Amino acid sequence: MNIIKRDGTIVKFEKNKIKDAIVNSMKYGSGIIKEDLANEIAETIEEQFRNSNKTATVYNIEDLVYYELVKHEEIVTAKAYEEYRAIQSFKRTINTTDDSII
């Protein structure tokens, strides 16, 4: 199973990356780490794409992680996850090379 990254490249789907992102959000959100729940959510997302004919995108996965966290009433973790996404997006926007400098 593959995933389409933000830059359009296609790489192998790695469930552990989803789990790690959730665990980090738990750590910085509520401070309560529930690895079993993080693994369950990652497995649910993997199954959803495995059972569909669609290739997953980073954006699809991020949305599903957020909704799964809310569904499991992990609101503080979901908020921390969204904040992390926003910060990373901002970093990507700022961290571009100005063509006029080159």
Side-chain angles (χ1 to χ4, degrees):
M1 193 164 80
N2 294 321
I3 180 173
I4 301 171
K5 292 175 56 172
R6 285 181 184 84
D7 65 2
T9 58
I10 298 174
V11 297
K12 184 179 177 231
F13 182 94
E14 294 182 48
K15 178 179 65 176
N16 285 333
K17 286 188 175 186
I18 297 170
K19 180 186 171 210
D20 293 344
I22 295 168
V23 167
N24 284 333
S25 295
M26 288 174 170
K27 183 169 129 183
Y28 295 111
S30 66
I32 300 168
I33 298 171
K34 301 177 183 176
E35 290 208 31
D36 290 343
L37 178 60
N39 194 51
E40 177 186 330
I41 292 171
E43 286 179 3
T44 298
I45 292 169
E46 180 182 37
E47 283 179 39
Q48 286 180 354
F49 284 104
R50 197 173 295 285
N51 294 332
S52 75
N53 291 333
K54 294 182 179 181
T55 301
T57 68
V58 170
Y59 300 110
N60 298 137
I61 290 171
E62 288 175 339
D63 287 344
L64 288 172
V65 168
Y66 177 79
Y67 292 122
E68 286 292 322
L69 287 168
V70 170
K71 182 174 128 185
H72 286 88
E73 299 180 359
E74 293 290 329
I75 306 303
V76 174
T77 300
K79 185 173 169 42
Y81 183 78
E82 280 296 299
E83 289 170 356
Y84 177 78
R85 280 176 65 182
I87 290 167
Q88 293 305 105
S89 177
F90 180 74
K91 283 181 183 178
R92 281 189 296 277
T93 303
I94 297 248
N95 197 21
T96 58
T97 304
D98 188 350
D99 290 334
S100 65
I101 295 172
I102 296 174

